[in-house]
DNA sequence: AACGAGTTCCGTCAGAGGAG
DNA sequence: CTCCTCTGACGGAACTCGTT
């Protein structure tokens, strides 16, 4: 596979680490399932019989995930190979090295490493779950990285945007934004841009809305939907103030009680059946024109499809970048750990040489 | 303050590869 | 084969920082 996988392989190849204490597992993209996992590796270098090397790999949990499998402890035997490398003698090392050499995607990398290293950590199933659980950033490099000659893992948690899938978005025809809102799409997000976070919708607090109850989100239809025309309230919510006059706001309430809003240009909402196709990202409800006949409707449909594709790709790119960042941080931390390890081994070698020389002199 | 170079972030496109 | 996801590449906008 072209892309980052190749780079990773290259980087791995440059790191002479046979202990493979799976730091990547801590960078896994499923913080909701991360747990406090302490790997205690007791390595007994043959050169210094009475100085076991304690290796601790601490994977910090997120605040939400502490309860999952806290306190798991693994003890892994580490041996030294003929070249002075510490080698973890796990049976799955071969498999993990193979995984590293294949390197199919960030998701797969992290998934496989997670499952191999910490069985308690669930694989990534839904990005929405993963995002929903991430609420903070915490990058922890264990103190031993700076202070002592020990090795281990690390914890990296990524800052992420607020969960974008927790609340459903009704996706309809693109609504032109007022020029003032078009200046920076990355920072100003709101009406008409269904790809953006739903928080914009929640900001619509204008009084001119009618609440609609729907027991089942997946079976929402226009039946029973009521609309009201926005007359530009101009107070309170920024999004409401920026809306063109005549914009229709539809508010509905799901079974779980959460309220949702959708804005549609005046006169368009009647033609749409609202449904939740399985292909859409979780929580996104798409409004599909019914009975397309005219070329204009076909054009609108294709435009809508394109918008949907772009939206999905936008989300995918975001996720991809997030994973990539996480992955790079993992590697950086691992480099720091290995550098420290290398330093320790060098000092160890030096002291052994001195010891040997001293012995040779006395004899 | 104005300017330019460098950096970061984001959206989009294109292509590879997997799943059905 | 088609559809979908993932990710590198690209360009634009915003931001930072040093220089004038």
């Amino acid at each position: 596979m072209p892309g980052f996988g190749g780079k990773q392989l290259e980087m791995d190849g440059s790191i002479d680490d046979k202990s493979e204490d799976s730091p990547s597992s801590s960078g896994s993209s499923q913080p909701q399932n991360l747990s406090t996992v302490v790997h205690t590796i007791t390595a007994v270098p043959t050169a210094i019989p009475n100085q076991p090397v304690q290796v601790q790999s601490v994977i910090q949990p997120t605040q939400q995930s502490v309860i999952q499998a806290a306190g798991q402890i693994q003890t892994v035997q580490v041996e030294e190979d003929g070249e002075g490398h510490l080698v973890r003698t796990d049976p799955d090392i071969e498999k993990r090295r193979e995984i590293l050499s294949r390197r199919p995607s960030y998701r797969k990398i992290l998934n496989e490493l997670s499952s191999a290293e910490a069985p308690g950590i669930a694989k990534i199933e839904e990005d929405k779950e993963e995002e929903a659980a991430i609420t903070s950033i915490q990058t922890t490099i264990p103190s031993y990285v700076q202070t002592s000659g020990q090795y281990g893992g690390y914890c990296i948690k990524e800052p992420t945007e607020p969960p974008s899938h927790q609340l459903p978005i009704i996706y309809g025809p693109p609504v032109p934004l007022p020029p003032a809102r078009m200046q920076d799409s990355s920072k100003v997000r709101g009406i008409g841009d269904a790809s953006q976070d739903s928080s914009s919708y929640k900001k619509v607090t204008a009084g001119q809305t009618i609440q609609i109850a729907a027991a089942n989100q997946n079976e929402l239809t226009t039946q029973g939907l009521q609309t009201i025309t926005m007359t530009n309230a101009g107070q309170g919510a920024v999004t409401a103030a920026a809306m063109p006059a005549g914009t229709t706001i539809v508010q509905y309430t799901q079974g779980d009680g959460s309220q949702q809003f959708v804005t549609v240009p005046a006169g368009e909402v009647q033609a749409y059946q609202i449904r939740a196709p399985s292909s859409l990202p979780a929580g996104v409800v798409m409004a599909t024109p019914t009975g397309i006949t005219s070329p204009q409707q076909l054009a609108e449909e294709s435009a809508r499809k394109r918008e949907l594709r772009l939206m999905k790709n936008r989300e995918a790119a975001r996720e991809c970048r997030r994973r990539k960042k996480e992955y790079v941080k993992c590697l950086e931390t691992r480099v720091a750990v290995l550098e420290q390890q290398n330093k320790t081994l060098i000092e160890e070698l030096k002291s052994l040489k001195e010891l040997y020389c001293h012995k040779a002199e006395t004899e």
Side-chain angles (χ1 to χ4, degrees), chain A residues 70-330:
Chain A
Q72 278 191 28
I73 296 179
Q74 294 180 3
T75 301
V76 180
Q77 196 67 33
V78 178
E79 294 173 355
E80 189 179 12
D81 66 7
E83 301 167 4
H85 299 116
L86 287 178
V87 181
R88 203 178 91 180
T89 55
D90 274 359
D92 60 346
I93 284 183
E94 279 307 309
K95 180 190 168 193
R96 305 235 333 258
R97 296 186 74 77
E98 193 188 344
I99 289 168
L100 286 172
S101 69
R102 276 190 260 124
R103 201 61 69 183
S105 75
Y106 302 127
R107 185 191 297 264
K108 284 189 179 177
I109 295 163
L110 296 175
N111 269 340
E112 300 212 24
L113 287 174
S114 297
S115 61
E117 185 68 21
I121 298 176
K123 295 191 174 191
I124 303 172
E125 294 294 344
E126 295 287 344
D127 284 347
K128 63 180 168 73
E129 292 177 8
E130 135 195 354
E131 286 187 6
I134 300 174
T135 56
S136 64
I137 173 174
Q138 180 183 357
T139 301
T140 303
I141 298 178
S143 58
Y144 55 77
V145 170
Q146 295 105 26
T147 57
S148 65
Q150 294 168 351
Y151 14 81
Y154 46 79
C155 162
I156 291 175
K157 277 189 284 179
E158 270 291 300
T160 57
E161 299 161 353
S164 56
H165 300 321
Q166 281 184 324
L167 299 171
I169 302 166
I170 291 184
Y171 182 78
V175 180
L177 295 182
R181 300 183 58 79
M182 297 290 275
Q183 287 178 349
D184 183 358
S185 63
S186 67
K187 299 210 163 36
V188 182
R189 293 168 176 174
I191 302 154
D193 188 357
S195 68
Q196 309 301 351
D197 59 5
S198 57
S199 60
S200 304
Y201 293 92
K202 286 189 284 184
K203 287 178 187 170
V204 179
T205 56
Q208 297 92 329
T209 57
I210 293 176
Q211 184 170 316
I212 299 157
N216 187 346
Q217 166 191 351
N218 293 332
E219 292 174 3
L220 264 181
T221 67
T222 49
Q223 185 178 22
L225 272 183
Q226 299 178 49
T227 64
I228 188 163
T229 299
M230 180 79 181
T231 54
N232 220 349
Q235 58 175 1
V238 175
T239 49
M243 254 188 297
T247 298
T248 302
I249 298 176
V250 179
Q251 176 187 13
Y252 68 93
T253 301
Q254 293 184 91
D256 63 4
S258 58
Q259 294 182 1
Q260 306 306 324
F261 298 88
V262 60
T263 59
V264 184
E268 288 192 29
V269 71
Q270 296 89 340
Y272 292 86
Q273 180 183 21
I274 300 175
R275 61 191 177 85
S278 57
S279 61
L280 281 176
V284 176
V285 182
M286 186 170 62
T288 309
T290 56
I292 299 173
T293 51
S294 70
Q296 186 187 353
Q297 279 176 318
L298 283 172
E300 283 176 2
E301 173 70 2
S302 66
R304 189 186 57 79
K305 280 181 178 172
R306 172 185 156 79
E307 196 62 31
L308 180 63
R309 185 164 38 81
L310 291 180
M311 181 186 75
K312 281 184 174 179
N313 193 244
R314 212 154 36 223
E315 285 289 323
R318 265 200 280 266
E319 269 305 292
C320 183
R321 287 184 178 118
R322 189 184 65 76
R323 284 192 293 267
K324 188 173 179 177
K325 259 185 169 181
E326 197 172 341
Y327 184 65
V328 167
K329 281 186 181 176
C330 282

